[in-house]
Amino acid sequence: MTKFALVCGAGGFIGNHLVRRLKTEGFWVRGVDLKFPEFGETEADDFVVGDLREQRVVDAVIDRRYDEVYQLAADMGGAGYIFTGEHDADIMHNSATINLGVVDRAHKRNIRRIFYSSSACMYPAYNQEDPDNPNCKESSAYPAAPDSEYGWEKLFSERLFLAYNRNHGMSNRVARYHNIFGPEGTWTGGKEKAPAAVCRKVAMAANNGEIEIWGDGNQTRSFLYIDECIEGTIRLTRSEFEGPVNVGSDEMVTINQLVEIVSDIAGKTLHKNHVPGPLGVRGRNSHNQLIEEKLGWRPTQSLRKGLEATYAWIETQVRRNAA
Ligand code: NAD
């Protein structure tokens, strides 16, 4: 029997990859987003261009029961978008409105389970001041003190989905994604994340040239390759565990190390020029004990392998843009 899935945010980076994966599994997939995917055609059977802040759009796409519903739509961006403070009201209003509308409509259509993508940005800033020793254990979330309104909204919405579990018999699933990267992600324009920004800068730099890095480059992060993000998402959705659980890599690197790996992949020697810029917390790394315990699975692919695929794709984009 055909299975039906709804992907909210299907025009985005992760949503587009998720649609592709569900299609390989034989699902009939409906996608909804403000826009079609930026790179390549969507593989969704039905794609609705619509604004999920509008209840009539939510009602129209959740017009039947689905076997799986993924809620990835959010107003988001890289450090250049989230941490300047200029978009705080939009980020909170837009994303919360989407989540409030989607979960309530699903409940009223007797849909039991929605996967919701929260973010590591909801972890308290005070646990992420030491770049060598950040604490992102799931149980460290409270007392809450995210460093951005984006993180506060994620925390609110994960509580919202779990409250529907407690009060309305739903069995929603909540993952906390940590820095997802890969081909077909935003790579320019201000909303791109560190791996894409570094790949672009390295691809554009001449050998023995210079590369600009925000801050001293000693801030630490981990980055999860898109295929493993999709795997974790699907495994959690189909599991008996509601979360919240980290879906991230625990291979922590400094931004300087990230630049060195990408330069090495590109075969370039580059001088690092440290400039002021929005930075976020000093350190962040996924803690993967809980996912291993509950799902018997954790991401294991090396950062370098994912960067090789991502660099190859971004280098092609850079060359195409220059032509
Ligand atoms: P993305 O920006 O590429 O995708 C989000 C999509 O939501 C976009 O295509 C956007 O157009 C759509 N959207 C925004 N407002 C909408 C609206 N009003 N109606 C309909 N669609 C709307 O981001 P992504 O990287 O694919 O992230 C997907 C989800 O994962 C988001 O909820 C994000 O917060 C979360 N997340 C991502 C990361 C990451 O590293 N990429 C990390 C943590 C959490």
Side-chain angles (χ1 to χ4, degrees):
M1 227 172 59
T2 307
K3 287 195 165 181
F4 294 85
L6 174 67
V7 178
C8 302
F13 166 51
I14 300 171
N16 188 31
H17 281 272
L18 178 61
V19 168
R20 210 173 281 156
R21 164 71 184 265
L22 291 168
K23 285 307 299 171
T24 66
E25 294 187 11
F27 275 77
W28 183 94
V29 183
R30 170 179 283 166
V32 53
D33 201 298
L34 289 170
K35 57 170 181 63
F36 288 109
E38 207 176 331
F39 311 104
E41 286 281 308
T42 179
E43 290 183 22
D45 298 276
D46 182 38
F47 194 102
V48 178
V49 173
D51 188 336
L52 288 166
R53 288 169 301 183
E54 291 178 28
Q55 196 60 43
R56 64 174 180 85
V57 173
V58 175
D59 293 353
V61 294
I62 306 181
D63 61 344
R64 47 161 300 135
R65 291 182 74 169
Y66 291 94
D67 296 286
E68 294 181 7
V69 176
Y70 298 88
Q71 195 331 65
L72 307 175
D75 191 7
M76 65 167 290
Y81 186 79
I82 292 176
F83 297 115
T84 59
E86 286 162 34
H87 311 281
D88 286 352
D90 281 349
I91 288 169
M92 297 187 90
H93 175 268
N94 294 341
S95 297
T97 306
I98 296 169
N99 290 317
L100 287 161
V102 166
V103 73
D104 198 60
R105 172 68 175 174
H107 159 56
K108 288 179 176 146
R109 291 304 309 236
N110 206 17
I111 290 170
R112 289 283 157 79
R113 186 171 297 186
I114 301 175
F115 168 90
Y116 173 61
S117 52
S118 180
S119 162
C121 289
M122 47 59 61
Y123 283 114
Y126 58 76
N127 277 336
Q128 302 172 72
E129 281 158 13
D130 176 0
D132 298 325
N133 228 343
N135 177 10
C136 291
K137 224 176 162 168
E138 286 83 349
S139 57
S140 72
Y142 300 95
D147 73 332
S148 65
E149 301 301 0
Y150 170 77
W152 277 106
E153 189 283 326
K154 286 292 186 194
L155 197 56
F156 164 76
S157 289
E158 47 176 76
R159 298 188 68 95
L160 172 73
F161 280 93
L162 298 178
Y164 270 72
N165 286 1
R166 289 195 304 278
N167 297 164
H168 294 311
M170 291 185 81
S171 54
N172 297 315
R173 301 288 180 253
V174 177
R176 293 172 177 162
Y177 287 162
H178 290 242
N179 283 321
I180 316 303
F181 76 103
E184 298 185 28
T186 304
W187 60 278
T188 186
K191 282 196 172 191
E192 67 280 12
K193 300 286 186 55
V198 168
C199 286
R200 185 196 69 233
K201 289 177 185 180
V202 170
M204 291 175 81
N207 193 17
N208 296 315
E210 201 176 83
I211 177 166
E212 270 191 3
I213 301 173
W214 286 345
D216 62 11
N218 291 325
Q219 63 272 37
T220 53
R221 291 292 184 277
S222 70
F223 304 98
L224 182 70
Y225 190 62
I226 182 68
D227 290 359
E228 291 201 298
C229 167
I230 301 295
E231 187 64 32
T233 298
I234 283 180
R235 282 176 186 257
L236 177 64
T237 303
R238 297 174 189 168
S239 81
E240 289 313 305
F241 182 54
E242 69 175 21
V245 65
N246 291 327
V247 173
S249 160
D250 56 7
E251 184 184 344
M252 188 170 83
V253 291
T254 65
I255 299 301
N256 287 330
Q257 285 168 330
L258 177 70
V259 171
E260 278 149 27
I261 299 172
V262 177
S263 306
D264 191 55
I265 290 169
K268 294 182 183 178
T269 307
L270 297 173
H271 169 72
K272 299 187 200 78
N273 182 15
H274 297 280
V275 297
L279 294 177
V281 294
R282 279 304 281 168
R284 179 171 289 154
N285 191 17
S286 185
H287 191 281
N288 287 348
Q289 196 181 326
L290 187 64
I291 192 166
E292 173 116 56
E293 196 181 302
K294 297 293 183 183
L295 304 188
W297 175 89
R298 65 202 281 276
T300 50
Q301 183 177 297
S302 73
L303 172 62
R304 186 180 172 105
K305 188 154 181 242
L307 283 172
E308 284 170 358
T310 308
Y311 182 77
W313 182 80
I314 290 181
E315 199 201 16
T316 310
Q317 307 304 308
V318 168
R319 255 192 278 119
R320 246 185 231 154
N321 261 38

